[in-house]
């Protein structure tokens, strides 16, 4: 497999209004770069940099979602949590039914 080296500017949002950009170099398989260029030429991103930044944001968001899911996973086997959830559901059942009826009449 052959690789192509490209320079990429990555936007890093450091909780300030103006994003900071940092220049870096990535080594990518040539087929990946070719497919990236095709996506850019089809208007799916403004540039290689934009495409890579979008892909990184997408992957980082997926990783964050997976971490959140993993944190909640033990709740499925937690008997105390399950009992509390059923109690809350029962307490809100009337309000939920009323809300559903209101929505159906609108």
């Amino acid at each position: 497999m052959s690789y192509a080296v490209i320079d990429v500017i990555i936007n890093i949002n450091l909780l300030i209004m103006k994003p900071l950009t940092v220049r870096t170099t990535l080594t990518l398989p040539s087929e990946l770069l070719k497919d990236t260029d095709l996506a850019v030429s089809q208007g799916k991103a403004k540039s290689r940099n934009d495409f890579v930044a979008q892909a990184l944001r997408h992957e980082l968001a997926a990783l964050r979602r997976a971490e959140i899911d993993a944190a909640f996973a033990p709740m499925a086997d937690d008997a105390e949590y399950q009992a509390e959830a059923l109690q809350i559901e029962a307490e809100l059942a009337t309000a939920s039914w009323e809300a559903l009826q209101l929505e159906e009449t609108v």
Side-chain angles (χ1 to χ4, degrees):
M1 178 183 297
S2 61
Y3 289 86
V5 176
I6 63 169
D7 286 332
V8 180
I9 297 176
I10 299 175
N11 289 325
I12 302 172
N13 192 338
L14 300 174
L15 301 175
I16 56 176
M17 296 304 288
K18 186 176 178 185
L20 175 68
T21 57
V22 178
R23 181 171 290 278
T24 189
T25 300
L26 300 175
T27 302
L28 303 170
S30 59
E31 279 299 308
L32 191 55
L33 183 60
K34 180 180 149 192
D35 291 345
T36 298
D37 288 341
L38 178 61
V40 170
S41 72
Q42 293 172 342
K44 295 179 179 166
K46 296 179 214 167
S47 64
R48 286 178 177 171
N49 288 340
D50 184 52
F51 189 87
V52 171
Q54 286 179 35
L56 290 171
R57 282 188 201 98
H58 183 269
E59 183 62 20
L60 291 169
L63 291 172
R64 282 191 291 274
R65 285 190 304 273
E67 288 173 0
I68 291 168
D69 289 348
F72 280 102
M75 296 168 84
D77 298 322
D78 184 336
E80 186 177 327
Y81 168 77
Q82 293 296 325
E84 184 178 352
L86 289 173
Q87 179 184 350
I88 291 169
E89 183 180 338
E91 291 172 1
L92 295 176
T94 302
S96 294
W97 177 249
E98 290 171 356
L100 177 63
Q101 288 179 320
L102 283 174
E103 179 62 29
E104 289 179 353
T105 60
V106 174

